[in-house]
């Protein structure tokens, strides 16, 4: 159990107990109807304005990935296929295999952690645009996956909600759907689900597990999870669908979660969840006891869009819409920071950073106004997955020999290094230092610093300080820096590897075999690559 899980549980409990920041506008708008505790909007509005309107023109660019830890089939597409619909029947074979492999570990019965008392067990809904192992462009997906597993093993009922990018194996249609009026059209969202057992039944305690709920809509079945012209509609739809899911999706016990839940809302993509809950549900008595906890993963990505009419977001009276506005844009991150019951960052130090002009990216004042409800909780890692004594990527299956090692026995470390050199086509030399960079190819990650120092690092000087080195660079992102990786390898065969892409196997092998790891980031929310 990670320390972040335990602290976050305490924070959630505090949020449930507190009602000092509830937004409860009164009155029922004439353009809304209430049925079975659900509120639907009948408003219509003009289509999404990508350029023009009240704010400046924006050229929305495709973002291939927010981290090097991506599934390329989900986050990248050839230039001539961007925006095209996917064959969504099943995921590609390679991705299908990775999903099955990742799920296997958690499907194996494990002893339950110390359960919290029954009266303290919560119903927790984790909302994200990506959840590993189904969809992943970075650490966000891993956090939502591992946190859900850890919380379920404490005895909480846990649901994750994310888009259905493919028809994943083991996922079934629930037979439920909801319709939302957004951007002048009716959008029908259908719900799919899969139960994932994380600990077996024991005595009077039922089996623990996670309800993975997926929202199906044609706008998610494309090449690339992010960077489409209609992203505001896509993520507004996801936010609405996430708020309806606890009412209508039958779970493992055939019953929905209901509205006595805690929403853990992750990053700008679903930043509308707290605002919609406050302006559209609580006024009608729905989610009166529910709480929202918003997790800031990176202030550098704030989800900026041209201003649109409130009705286009399904909010005809515009309650709290001003919370989204900043610098002539609508920033979903700002709205979530101001409207959530609690706000957390992915490390204590990052909480301090977001309060500064340098780390707040223009939203530091929004963070400062929430200071009494702002906390920082350090992200954790899966210590089983990254244990060099048991990491299966260091086993004979992947390396030819079992190259496990520990701090007390480093023989396997040397073997991992020799295997990495062979695997990547580097010159075989156990005595030459291997310097490695694994990260997103972006300005934030400081890849330009590595590019500037490259000639100095690889050239031999008279004192012998530099030059006797091998360099391994792995990542995806900005094509400019991808070109640097390719050129560096082409000019230094046997000494440099510039791998534009990512595989989990390669990441584990590089970290296990390298002597020096570079992280020249300009800022790091929690220190992960």
């Amino acid at each position: 159990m990670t320390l972040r899980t335990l602290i976050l549980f305490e924070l959630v409990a505090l949020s449930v107990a507190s009602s000092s920041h509830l937004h409860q506008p009164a009155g029922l708008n004439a353009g809304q109807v209430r049925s079975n505790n659900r509120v639907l909007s009948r408003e219509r509005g003009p289509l999404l304005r990508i350029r023009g309107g009240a704010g400046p023109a924006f050229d929305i660019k495709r973002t291939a990935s927010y981290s090097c830890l991506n599934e390329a089939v989900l986050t990248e597409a050839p230039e001539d296929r961007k925006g095209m619909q996917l064959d969504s029947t099943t995921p590609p074979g390679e991705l299908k295999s990775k999903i099955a492999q990742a799920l296997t570990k958690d499907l194996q019965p494990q002893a339950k952690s110390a359960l919290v008392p029954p009266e303290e067990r919560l119903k927790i809904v984790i909302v994200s645009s990506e959840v590993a192992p189904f969809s992943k462009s970075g650490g966000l997906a891993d956090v939502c996956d591992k946190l859900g597993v850890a919380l379920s093993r404490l005895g909480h009922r846990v649901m994750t909600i994310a888009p259905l990018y493919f028809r994943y194996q083991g996922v079934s249609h629930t037979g439920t759907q909801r319709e939302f009026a957004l951007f002048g059209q009716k959008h029908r969202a259908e719900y799919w689900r899969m139960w994932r057992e994380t600990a077996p039944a024991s005595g009077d305690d039922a089996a623990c597990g996670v309800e993975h709920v997926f929202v199906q809509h044609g706008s998610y079945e494309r090449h690339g999870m992010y960077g489409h012209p209609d992203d505001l509609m896509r993520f507004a739809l996801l936010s609405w669908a996430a708020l309806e899911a606890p009412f209508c999706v039958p779970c493992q016990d055939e019953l929905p979660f209901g509205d006595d839940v805690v929403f853990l809302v992750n990053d700008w993509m679903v930043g509308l969840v707290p605002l919609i809950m406050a302006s559209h549900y609580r006024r009608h008595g729905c989610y009166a006891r529910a709480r929202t906890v918003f997790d800031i993963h990176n202030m550098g990505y704030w989800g900026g869009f041209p201003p649109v009419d409130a009705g286009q977001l399904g909010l005809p009276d515009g309650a709290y819409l001003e919370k989204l506005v900043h610098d002539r844009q609508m920033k979903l991150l700002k709205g979530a920071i101001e409207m959530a019951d609690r706000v957390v960052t992915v490390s204590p130090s990052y909480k301090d950073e977001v309060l500064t002009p340098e780390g707040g990216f223009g939203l530091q004042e929004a963070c400062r106004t929430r200071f009494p409800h702002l906390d920082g909780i350090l992200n954790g890692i899966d210590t089983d997955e990254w244990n060099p004594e048991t990491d299966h990527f260091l086993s004979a299956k992947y390396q030819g020999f079992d190259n496990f090692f520990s701090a007390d026995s480093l023989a396997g470390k040397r073997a991992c290094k020799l295997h990495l050199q062979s695997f990547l086509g580097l010159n075989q030399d156990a005595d030459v230092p291997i310097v490695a960079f694994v990260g997103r190819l972006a300005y934030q990650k400081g890849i330009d610093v590595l590019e500037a120092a490259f000639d100095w690092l690889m050239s031999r000087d008279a004192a012998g300080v530099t030059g006797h080195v091998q360099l391994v660079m792995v990542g995806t992102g900005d094509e400019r820096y991808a070109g640097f990786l390719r050129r560096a390898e082409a000019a230094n065969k046997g000494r440099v590897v510039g791998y534009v892409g990512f595989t989990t196997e390669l990441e584990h092998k590089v970290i296990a075999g390298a002597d020096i790891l570079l992280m020249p980031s300009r800022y790091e929310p929690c220190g992960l690559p």
Side-chain angles (χ1 to χ4, degrees):
M1 185 62 55
T2 66
L3 180 60
R4 177 179 171 87
T5 302
L6 296 175
I7 298 177
L8 184 57
F9 167 62
E10 295 296 331
L11 180 65
V12 167
L14 177 63
S15 179
V16 171
S18 171
S19 61
S20 61
H21 190 68
L22 287 182
H23 299 276
Q24 293 182 312
L28 181 65
N29 189 278
Q32 302 166 328
V33 295
R34 178 180 180 184
S35 175
N36 296 329
N37 286 333
R38 297 190 305 274
V39 183
L40 301 178
S41 169
R42 291 175 174 169
E43 291 293 316
R44 299 291 184 268
L47 294 176
L48 174 63
R49 293 171 294 180
I50 299 302
R51 306 186 71 86
F58 289 85
D59 181 14
I60 298 181
K61 298 180 179 179
R62 166 174 297 278
T63 302
S65 173
Y66 292 132
S67 165
C68 70
L69 310 178
N70 70 300
E71 300 292 356
V73 70
L74 289 179
T75 59
E76 295 179 340
E79 287 295 328
D80 61 345
R81 299 191 68 188
K82 289 179 180 178
M84 292 178 62
Q85 296 296 111
L86 287 171
D87 177 5
S88 58
T89 304
T90 58
E94 181 182 1
L95 180 57
K96 183 176 179 180
S97 174
K98 290 181 179 181
I99 292 174
Q101 184 181 35
L103 289 175
T104 299
K105 182 174 67 172
D106 286 325
L107 287 174
Q108 295 173 349
Q110 300 185 35
K112 292 182 182 178
S113 305
L115 299 175
V116 299
E119 65 274 11
E120 296 182 11
R121 297 177 189 176
L122 304 172
K123 289 177 286 187
I124 300 172
V125 180
I126 300 174
V127 188
S128 175
S129 60
E130 53 187 83
V131 175
F134 306 98
S135 53
K136 179 176 175 179
S137 75
L140 168 63
D142 287 320
V143 169
C144 296
D145 171 34
K146 301 301 183 183
L147 183 59
V149 171
L151 289 171
S152 71
R153 288 176 177 165
L154 288 173
H156 302 293
R157 290 186 66 189
V158 179
M159 173 190 293
T160 67
I161 301 177
L164 185 74
Y165 295 108
F166 290 104
R167 307 292 195 274
Y168 308 113
Q169 186 175 11
V171 175
S172 59
H173 196 282
T174 64
T176 57
Q177 61 188 41
R178 288 292 182 266
E179 191 173 83
F180 306 98
L182 301 169
F183 296 96
Q185 299 179 8
K186 290 184 178 180
H187 296 273
R188 184 178 65 186
E190 300 185 14
Y191 295 94
W192 296 61
R193 65 171 289 272
M194 187 189 82
W195 165 256
R196 177 183 180 186
E197 185 174 307
T198 59
S202 175
D204 296 333
D205 293 313
C208 295
V210 177
E211 289 281 355
H212 289 296
V213 174
F214 302 92
V215 179
Q216 179 196 354
H217 186 266
S219 65
Y220 304 132
E221 298 168 356
R222 302 172 180 169
H223 287 282
M225 292 190 291
Y226 310 111
H228 298 281
D230 59 349
D231 269 354
L232 182 54
M233 183 281 294
R234 297 169 71 233
F235 294 126
L237 176 64
L238 178 60
S239 299
W240 276 102
L243 286 162
E244 283 291 303
F247 292 123
C248 66
V249 176
C251 299
Q252 182 69 3
D253 55 6
E254 301 300 325
L255 297 175
F257 268 38
D259 68 350
D260 189 4
V261 299
V262 175
F263 283 91
L264 300 185
V265 184
N266 293 271
D267 241 348
W268 69 264
M269 290 75 78
V270 287
L272 286 173
V273 169
L275 188 148
I276 295 173
M277 177 188 287
S279 67
H280 206 71
Y281 283 86
R282 281 176 174 164
R283 69 172 66 185
H284 306 298
C286 300
Y287 290 128
R289 290 176 49 82
R291 298 294 183 268
T292 55
V293 179
F294 181 66
D295 202 346
I296 302 173
H297 292 259
N298 193 330
M299 286 289 289
Y301 299 98
W302 25 252
F305 296 93
V308 298
D309 297 333
Q312 298 184 39
L313 298 177
L315 302 170
D317 65 351
Y320 301 121
L321 192 68
E322 73 280 1
K323 300 292 186 180
L324 298 171
V325 179
H326 179 264
D327 193 23
R328 297 190 299 168
Q329 301 177 55
M330 295 179 67
K331 296 184 177 179
L332 304 191
L333 185 70
K334 177 178 181 289
I337 291 171
E338 296 202 16
M339 296 301 297
D341 297 304
R342 287 290 188 275
V343 181
V344 297
T345 64
V346 291
S347 69
S349 59
Y350 196 52
K351 181 197 77 171
D352 297 330
E353 288 184 35
V354 301
L355 300 173
T356 68
E358 296 79 10
F361 290 90
L363 299 181
Q364 61 273 10
E365 290 303 324
C367 294
R368 289 172 182 170
T369 61
R370 298 307 315 280
F371 187 80
H373 304 100
L374 177 65
D375 291 276
I377 306 173
L378 184 64
N379 270 348
I381 62 171
D382 188 327
T383 54
D384 293 328
E385 180 180 351
W386 290 99
N387 184 354
E389 297 183 68
T390 59
D391 186 350
H392 70 286
F393 288 116
L394 310 187
S395 68
K397 177 180 178 181
Y398 291 92
Q399 303 218 2
F401 299 92
D402 286 336
N403 292 334
F404 304 115
F405 63 92
S406 67
D408 299 322
S409 178
L410 293 174
K413 172 75 173 179
R414 180 183 178 89
C416 285
K417 179 176 182 177
L418 291 171
H419 171 79
L420 180 65
Q421 290 174 326
S422 175
F423 185 70
L424 295 178
L426 293 167
N427 299 328
Q428 293 279 285
D429 186 347
D431 294 324
V432 66
I434 295 181
V435 179
F437 168 89
V438 181
R440 179 160 45 90
L441 304 182
Y443 180 77
Q444 175 205 332
K445 297 297 182 179
I447 185 65
D448 61 306
V449 177
L450 180 54
E451 181 181 17
F454 177 76
D455 291 337
W456 169 84
L457 179 64
M458 301 307 298
S459 300
R460 297 183 183 275
D461 65 359
V465 175
T466 61
H468 185 62
V469 66
Q470 293 177 348
L471 178 63
V472 177
M473 299 176 287
V474 179
T476 62
D478 193 316
E479 182 57 32
R480 170 196 164 189
Y481 300 123
F484 158 61
L485 265 62
R486 297 187 186 100
R487 293 191 301 272
E489 177 176 340
N492 298 272
K493 286 293 186 182
R495 300 181 63 211
V496 175
V497 170
Y499 185 89
V500 180
F502 176 82
T503 69
T504 303
E505 177 184 355
L506 180 58
E507 181 190 28
H508 281 246
K509 287 184 175 182
V510 169
I511 292 178
D515 298 290
I516 302 170
L517 296 176
L518 297 179
M519 189 179 290
S521 302
R522 286 176 166 80
Y523 70 94
E524 278 297 339
C526 68
L528 298 177

